[in-house]
């Protein structure tokens, strides 16, 4: 049954460049600047940060989408021209804080992508935990052509999804990947028909929200860090995380439910 979303209240309702709605344990966060193709100005970066550090306790997963014809046109280029070098560093760090609030926040985030997913738009998408691409989605890193470099975490996150060679090609040559190419290279985990992305995102978010919170925590917080460690260090951290997760009541109840034949089996979908 489709989720029934209602507008968020309080602080989240005051974020005018986002539209935030909540249905039980799932929040729908929408980039809401369609006239500018959801180009990300300083206010929108700050609002993304505020949103993800202030999600209500009842929310256990987020679906992130873009209003209008495109997911996101990246950095608002109209704000770029007059910055000094020092201001540029600090500006990039505001993006890092906002993208970290998404990637290392409290709950997993499913991005639903359509149309342009370019520059900072791809940086936002790559800070999410799962990406669903509609057939119309396309990926570009026009920074190379604009005479700049990525500054929203793209150089750390995009190569971890699609490899340094793919990102180098996109930045040096302006290569644009379509939805299928992006899927093949690891930029998205799903490709669906145009118009089907939100339903797919909600379906995934509901499953995620039903997991034990400590399981989701370990996947979000421990897994990417372990992947960055040497194998011996990673295995050590894994042993700690495994013991913490399995010691939790939620894990014990879920394992008992399976053994007592009250929980589902692993099945092909
Ligand atoms: C913008 C922006 C923007 C649109 N900054 N205003 N990103 C880019 O280099 C991508 C630039 N944008 C585009 O290539 C196209 O706009 C799109 C392919 C995304 C969409 O095309 P289209 O035909 O649907 O829209 P449009 O007519 O180009 O744009 C509509 C309006 O949005 C128009 O403004 P208007 O006042 O004339 O109506 C555009 O100027 C405006 N607009 N994109 C400012 N990006 C943390 S570092 C990250 C570094 C980067 O992200 S660099 C990549 C920047």
């Amino acid at each position: 049954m489709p989720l029934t979303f209602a507008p968020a209240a309080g602080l989240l309702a005051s974020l005018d460049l986002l539209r935030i709605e909540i249905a039980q344990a799932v929040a729908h966060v929408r980039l809401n600047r369609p006239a500018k193709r959801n180009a990300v100005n300083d206010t929108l970066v700050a609002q993304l940060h505020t949103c993800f550090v202030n999600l209500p306790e009842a929310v256990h997963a987020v679906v992130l989408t873009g209003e209008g014809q495109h997911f996101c046109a990246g950095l608002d280029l109209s704000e770029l021209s007059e910055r000094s070098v020092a201001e540029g560093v600090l500006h990039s760090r505001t993006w890092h804080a906002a993208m970290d609030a998404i990637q290392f926040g409290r709950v997993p985030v499913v991005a639903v992508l359509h149309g342009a997913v370019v520059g900072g738009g791809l940086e936002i998408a790559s800070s999410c935990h799962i990406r669903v691409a509609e057939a119309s989605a396309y990926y570009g890193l026009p920074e190379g052509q604009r005479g700049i470099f990525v500054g929203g975490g793209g150089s750390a996150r995009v190569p971890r999804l699609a490899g340094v060679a793919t990102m180098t090609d996109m930045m040096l040559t302006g290569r644009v990947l379509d939805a299928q190419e992006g899927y093949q290279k690891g930029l998205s985990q799903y490709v669906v028909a145009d118009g089907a992305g939100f339903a797919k995102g909600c379906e995934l978010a509901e499953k995620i929200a039903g997991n034990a919170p400590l399981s989701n925590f370990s996947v979000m917080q421990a897994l990417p860090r372990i992947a960055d460690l040497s194998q011996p260090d990673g295995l050590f951290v894994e042993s700690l995380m495994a013991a913490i997760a399995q010691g939790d009541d939620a894990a014990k109840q879920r394992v008992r439910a399976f053994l007592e034949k009250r929980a589902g089996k692993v099945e092909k979908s």
Side-chain angles (χ1 to χ4, degrees), residues 4-23 26-34 38 43-44 47-48 51-52 55 62-68 71 198:
T4 308
F5 286 91
L11 177 63
L12 297 189
S14 71
L15 306 175
D16 61 331
L17 298 184
L18 296 173
R19 203 164 121 203
I20 304 166
E21 297 178 315
I22 296 176
V26 177
H28 178 198
V29 177
R30 203 177 321 208
L31 307 174
N32 192 26
R33 220 185 157 213
N38 299 321
T43 307
L44 182 46
Q47 291 191 4
L48 276 170
C51 168
F52 280 92
L55 289 171
V62 171
V63 179
L64 178 67
T65 67
E67 181 67 30
F71 176 71
F198 183 60

Side-chain angles (χ1 to χ4, degrees), residues 130-134 139 179 183 188-192 200 204:
I130 295 179
R131 283 151 296 278
V132 175
E134 292 194 348
Y139 309 93
Y183 172 73
S188 81
Q189 285 64 56
Y190 301 86
V191 178
V192 298
K200 183 69 184 175
L204 298 173

